[in-house]
Amino acid sequence: MDNINNMESFEQRNEEDQQWVWRNGLCCSVKKRICVLNKKLHSLNKKIETFPSSQSLLKDVLDLNKELTAYFSALTDNINIRDLFDFLTICFYEYEHFFKEHKNVIVCDRDVMSELVPLARDIVYNHVRTILEFISNNTIDTHQYRNH
């Protein structure tokens, strides 16, 4: 009877948690992608720090970039893929909201448009989104997996 209760308790915890399972152990690929993204973030941060414009909106981008790099530096060998996915999703939408909210100011500054926006778009739309898509395509929600 105890084994049945333990099994039910275990299944209930898994359903509540909805832990994700890696397909084919693709953690190394995510780490490589994060490494590339991290380098690009550092590069953009250096450009922003040396940029002649003193717009406060650049400080906001810098803060978000530093939040990402701090998160990446705290990752260990055992990446919690669900946490990473959630964090990157939030960051993606924060970047997207930032670009929409400050579009008029950004578009009016030729230097920002020519030097910073291409780097920022590359980071957000080529790297962050690609990592999110990679995780989505290579994970299985264990709750859904058990029901099939």
Side-chain angles (χ1 to χ4, degrees), residues 10-130:
F10 175 75
E11 287 179 13
Q12 183 179 9
R13 279 194 309 268
N14 274 346
E15 285 178 22
E16 290 170 0
D17 221 8
Q18 289 197 4
Q19 303 260 332
W20 289 8
V21 175
W22 275 110
R23 286 186 191 157
N24 304 322
L26 296 168
C27 189
C28 289
S29 182
V30 167
K31 286 181 182 180
K32 288 177 187 173
R33 292 167 191 253
I34 288 172
C35 185
V36 170
L37 175 57
N38 208 21
K39 287 177 185 175
K40 292 201 175 225
L41 285 165
H42 282 294
S43 175
L44 179 59
N45 288 349
K46 285 180 184 176
K47 271 203 179 243
I48 290 172
E49 289 168 352
T50 61
F51 206 71
S53 176
S54 60
Q55 294 180 17
S56 65
L57 66 100
L58 293 181
K59 185 187 177 313
D60 293 342
V61 172
L62 191 61
D63 289 345
L64 184 53
N65 290 352
K66 287 182 178 182
E67 190 177 333
L68 268 167
T69 58
Y71 182 88
F72 293 152
S73 67
L75 288 176
T76 62
D77 285 339
N78 290 329
I79 294 175
N80 182 324
I81 200 62
R82 177 92 189 254
D83 287 347
L84 176 63
F85 184 84
D86 291 346
F87 179 75
L88 287 177
T89 300
I90 290 166
C91 288
F92 179 84
Y93 286 110
E94 283 184 30
Y95 278 119
E96 210 169 54
H97 175 74
F98 174 84
F99 289 139
K100 287 177 184 174
E101 185 177 319
H102 299 288
K103 182 180 179 180
N104 293 335
V105 175
I106 293 169
V107 171
C108 290
D109 190 328
R110 282 190 181 173
D111 293 332
V112 169
M113 281 299 293
S114 65
E115 293 183 43
L116 298 179
V117 169
L119 293 171
R121 285 183 188 261
D122 180 48
I123 287 169
V124 175
Y125 295 106
N126 290 338
H127 294 281
V128 173
R129 184 168 49 189
T130 301

Side-chain angles (χ1 to χ4, degrees), residues 140-148:
I140 303 171
D141 182 330
T142 57
H143 178 68
Q144 292 174 353
Y145 183 71
R146 282 196 309 266
N147 292 330
H148 288 118

